Amino acid sequence: MEVMEPKFANIDDVINQTFDYVVVGGGVYYYVSFVNQIIPDHPSFPQVSGCVLASRLSEKSDIRVILLEAGKGRTNDPLIDTPCGGARGYQLGNSEYDWAFQTAPQKNLNGRSMVWNRGKGLGGSSNLNQLAWTRPGPAEIDSWEKLGNAGWSYKDIIPYIQKVENFQTPPSADIVKSKLLAENQHWFGKNGPISLAYCEVLTGLDGVLRTPLGDYTGFWSCPSTMDPEKLERCTAFKGYIQPNLDRKNLFVLPEAYVTKLIWKNDSKPDANEEITAEGVQFVFGGKIFMIHAAKEVLLTAGIIRSALKSPQILELSGIGSSNVLNPLGIPVLVDLPGVGENLQDHYCANTITFELDPTGPHRTLDVLFDPVEYEKQDGFYKQKQRGLLSYTNTDVLFPSLQLISPNAENIIALHEKVLANLITTMDADSDMFKGLKERLDIQLERLKDHNFPHFAIFFIPSFMDFPNMPIPDKMYLSVLIILAGTWSIGSAHISSMDPLKSPNLDGNVLEYQIELDALTEVFKFARQLKDCEPLKSIIIKEVAPGEKILTDEQIHGRVSDTSGTASMLPREKRGVVDPSLRNYKRSSMRSFDFSVARKCTF
């Protein structure tokens, strides 16, 4: 049966038009189903995307909604649809799929710049992520409420996370056994738009570590955001927008790059006066257009955990720190120093890759490097038969620092002294102090908790030491290490009035010694796994990084997953939005992407 291409809006249908809601950015879904005050009686959640907002708002036929997305709207694209899409050719670094933001040189990485990969197009980073469906735990979500955001506790949010989920119970007892699935399937929602399923392709390496380590730590196999019948990735676009494109009141315009917000009164307001957003300016086909909002402009341009574009749009629109805007000649409408600040991320250490015994009862994705085997697997996939191209890897170990390192207590004690000295050097009455002190206290409490996961360790049945290539006919297992609880805070600010120029991104990576110490310890732990069963029996040797990384100083790693640049905090703590996601001193405009999430780890 021929698949019908979705019908997007035409530029002539939308220019100079007025819509009830203008939604900027069509990125990832992450846990959101409802919007407070816009759709009454349902709380909102900071990881909401434009796809979710546009879908939910347009459920009411008398509400006109337009969704503007800077990237393309892609359908039936094998690079997106195929769960093991990397085997077909990587999206990462491909400008058609990936924004590939480049950071400023990082002083703690010997001046090295990094690339932050972020999905480009309708669906955002749900088009190119690992498909692993994870949730923050109670302590992490409750932190938002502790920082002054009433109504944002774990018990408040979980019911709405479940409304996103459409969990598919595995039909095979072997899958349940190999993945160590929980008996209580009610933990997941079953009626949402995002399909969740466990991969039904077994490699023999599933669940290589199976030890329960506590209530909140240990090994887990996450479900994947995929349709188990179609064997396709389920993106925010597929779940929320594509089924609803026939709505007469929903307009979706890809390749519309929003450059600034339009204010009802573009003069600087009085001290107690709000300014009102009445529309946006955007570039389409090389030309500048405007559309208007009768009710609100909803800014969701900070794709999942990137939060990189929303502050750029705010600053170009006159909302931000006068120290940033004045030198560029941008009139300051609201002097809000928190815009572009509070950027946080997860650090990823270099992957460790082991060579496996080829005679063992396992198989790996490395066979896909063989053109003959690839064609065989591709044939399976095209016939909707399960094979390596429908494989997803979501096996992850969540350990604490205390579990993986005998040096944990000394490292924590030293870090606590550093923090105490830092606090004594700050002005206790300053806005920066108020927000920083509360955040550091919460993080230190978590760090001391031996049952709190400080790392995520993924086990990937494939060679991962790129740009090097695997040796033909060899099999590999790679271990990917992520520091989930980071301390350093960076920033994302404009450096030019050119809206098409990427913002100046500074992750301020490894600003705290605890981060480097923790990465060093978990790297050593992961490296030693080859000497422990069950891995000891199947690993021949470590092939990467090998002797290239031996000393503590050589263990730094890559960096990913930014958040926090338009923080949901009280304004006096350098926040940008309040608990209803309204931007301070701006009416008819809210931020709904992950830029509002201040310190939600993993």
Side-chain angles (χ1 to χ4, degrees), residues 378-398:
D378 189 40
F380 291 154
Y381 186 77
K382 289 177 178 177
Q383 296 298 319
K384 299 303 177 184
Q385 298 178 18
R386 288 166 175 78
L388 292 181
L389 289 183
S390 61
Y391 174 79
T392 62
N393 178 266
T394 54
D395 293 340
V396 59
L397 175 66
F398 293 106

Side-chain angles (χ1 to χ4, degrees), residues 527 542-551 554:
R527 175 173 265 172
E542 176 186 323
V543 297
E547 296 183 354
K548 292 183 293 184
I549 293 182
L550 294 176
T551 67
Q554 292 171 325

